[in-house]
Amino acid sequence: MPPATTRSSARDLGIAILLVASLVTAVHWPVLSTQALGLDDNLFVTGNPLVTRPGVSSVSRFFGEVLTPSSVPGYYTPLTMTSLMADWALGGRPGNLGAFHRTHLALHVLSTVLLLLILYELFGSLVAAACAALIFGLHPLTVEPLAWISERKTMLAAPCALASIACYLRRARGGGPGWLAASLLAYFLGLLAKPTIVSLPAILLALDHWPLRRLGRSALIEKWPWLAITVASVVVTTISQARTAPFPPPEQSGVLRPVLQIAYVLAFYAGKIVWPVDLTTAYVPPRPYALTDPRIYGSVLVVLAIAAVLVLARRRLPGLFTGALVFVLALAPTFSVVTWSYFIVYDRYLYFPALGLAIMVAGALASWLTVRGGSLSAVAMAVAPVLLAAGLLACGTRVAYRHWRDSVALWTQTVRLAPGELDAHNGLAIAYEAQGDTTAAAAEYRAALALHPNYVFALINLGELLASTGESEEAAALLRRALALAPNDARPHVDLAAILLGRAGAGVEAADHLRAAVRLRPDWV
């Protein structure tokens, strides 16, 4: 670490924070006018009765349903759901998403500032910390979590995790026990937003090793509170996920599959970090994972080459090695070795792991400035390429926001980049339907079903659309197929009941479907 005499004054720190925060806010300002809805925004927000009926009872459900969350099937995220409910109460609505995006922008600026403070604490160089934080704040890969409403979980969990690390560093530097309590509280709150930050205790150990240089028995023993919270979160997440949204089996098994998949994920992200173009909400994964696929063996070679460079440079540039380790540890919970979705890479997965990349950048800059004695010319040589990169990244971010201006633009871009993906066609169909273009919507639903006849979402959505246009026979057939594939989904029960109620003698069957829907979704008015 650079000597303490290189630390800037509190005034300089305040100026740096204000400058970085202002630039990040200005570049991301278009998020406030974006109106695109992601594929699961209906589940999390617009079609969620607990979110759209704000009140104490909704909050009680969010926090009380620990092992069997019913508001959104999957893992336990009460803080996220309560936050979304609050923005709905403040006027957030489809077509007027400003309330949600204002919160996201504020949280992103907060994450950027916290990252700056962490890097400043680690390396003692305000220039290095501000430069690395600015790169993070302006990067186009941050657009997806900011513009996607249901990614409130990412936007909440990341600043909580960063705040936990910042408080831990203050404690490690000799701060009082209050910093320890604050670190644990921030970590706990982050897990209530999104449990993918569970690797934080391992990240703290990595920082203990370098640059804190305090890794030892005492450092290991003192991590037990973080470990206890982590174990509790893992247990709750595993049970709640298994009960409400079980993991599907992987399409390909074998010892090599996880290894090859992780190599592909790391290489893919490395490419997007360096060259963030053609960003989309759905990236087509290789199928199958085999060394015969150029993307797979190419990924393995890239990862091995990067690992070799990091190992060789670990003594001369330890910041690069530690940063890469932090990046991998933070990213590990999203490696998708346990399958929960067809897609395995998302831009939003990089949001918190970007901490590791920022450590690499700040560590390299701090080392450069230390070697050069911190002279004005050295600072200029360090800052100039960063400002150039920041300008290019800012332009890329503005371009990325164009695809989030509305849902049709978003999903048209997704279909263009992933024409064979079911979710892309389904998302575009939903966007067309929201605009009243039922013909285009039906065509996209049928395109999805042509790719996969048993795609449940398209079966239900097309069934509902055809029922609304009077084509009840085909609609009923589609909904019955959906029920056979997803008997615990309440929507096809309700939709089919609506069709049957219009037929003579079908009242008993309609009532049965409605009873089933009430049993599955007792809160569905």
Side-chain angles (χ1 to χ4, degrees), residues 146-188:
L146 263 80
W148 197 332
I149 298 174
S150 60
E151 279 311 303
R152 175 63 53 85
K153 50 187 182 286
T154 296
M155 300 308 298
L156 273 176
C160 287
L162 293 172
S164 179
I165 294 170
C167 293
Y168 175 80
L169 293 177
R170 295 298 296 167
R171 170 62 173 169
R173 299 290 196 194
W179 289 109
L180 176 63
S183 177
L184 290 169
L185 177 60
Y187 179 44
F188 176 71

Side-chain angles (χ1 to χ4, degrees), residues 181-453:
S183 177
L184 290 169
L185 177 60
Y187 179 44
F188 176 71
L189 292 175
L191 290 171
L192 294 182
K194 188 177 185 180
T196 53
I197 61 169
V198 289
S199 57
L200 188 139
I203 292 172
L204 297 181
L205 288 174
L207 296 177
D208 282 336
H209 175 66
W210 192 91
L212 298 179
R213 302 184 187 279
R214 61 186 298 273
L215 183 60
R217 176 177 292 186
S218 60
L220 289 170
I221 293 175
E222 75 177 6
K223 298 298 184 298
W224 74 263
W226 284 273
L227 182 60
I229 295 173
T230 299
V231 171
S233 176
V234 169
V235 170
V236 169
T237 300
T238 302
I239 295 175
S240 62
Q241 186 79 36
R243 287 184 175 181
T244 61
F247 294 118
E251 295 184 355
Q252 178 187 350
S253 59
V255 176
L256 280 181
R257 187 195 69 84
V259 176
L260 297 179
Q261 180 168 314
I262 290 172
Y264 170 76
V265 167
L266 291 174
F268 178 89
Y269 283 141
K272 285 298 180 184
I273 291 165
V274 175
W275 191 248
V277 298
D278 286 339
L279 303 181
T280 180
T281 58
Y283 296 106
V284 182
R287 183 188 287 178
Y289 291 95
L291 290 173
T292 54
D293 188 326
R295 289 182 294 176
I296 297 299
Y297 70 71
S299 297
V300 172
L301 293 176
V302 168
V303 171
L304 289 176
I306 293 175
V309 170
L310 292 172
V311 170
L312 293 174
R314 71 185 187 280
R315 295 186 183 277
R316 185 179 296 273
L317 294 172
L320 292 181
F321 184 83
T322 299
L325 178 59
V326 169
F327 174 75
V328 173
L329 289 173
L331 190 63
T334 64
F335 276 154
S336 299
V337 174
V338 177
T339 305
W340 69 271
S341 168
Y342 172 70
F343 301 107
I344 62 170
V345 289
Y346 294 95
D347 295 350
R348 59 186 182 269
Y349 284 175
L350 288 173
Y351 195 80
F352 173 56
L355 166 66
L357 304 176
I359 289 174
M360 297 174 74
V361 173
L365 289 175
S367 296
W368 163 268
L369 293 173
T370 300
V371 170
R372 298 288 177 170
S375 64
L376 185 60
S377 61
V379 171
M381 292 178 66
V383 171
V386 170
L387 292 180
L388 175 61
L392 295 173
L393 292 173
C395 293
T397 292
R398 286 300 185 96
V399 170
Y401 274 121
R402 296 175 187 171
H403 304 303
W404 286 87
R405 64 183 181 273
D406 58 49
S407 297
V408 170
L410 172 65
W411 292 107
T412 298
Q413 163 79 347
T414 307
V415 169
R416 181 180 71 83
L417 296 175
E421 296 312 310
L422 308 177
D423 288 343
H425 289 284
N426 190 58
L428 182 56
I430 293 172
Y432 280 135
E433 192 171 356
Q435 290 189 350
D437 191 344
T438 57
T439 301
E444 290 298 329
Y445 287 135
R446 294 188 190 281
L449 291 173
L451 293 168
H452 197 309

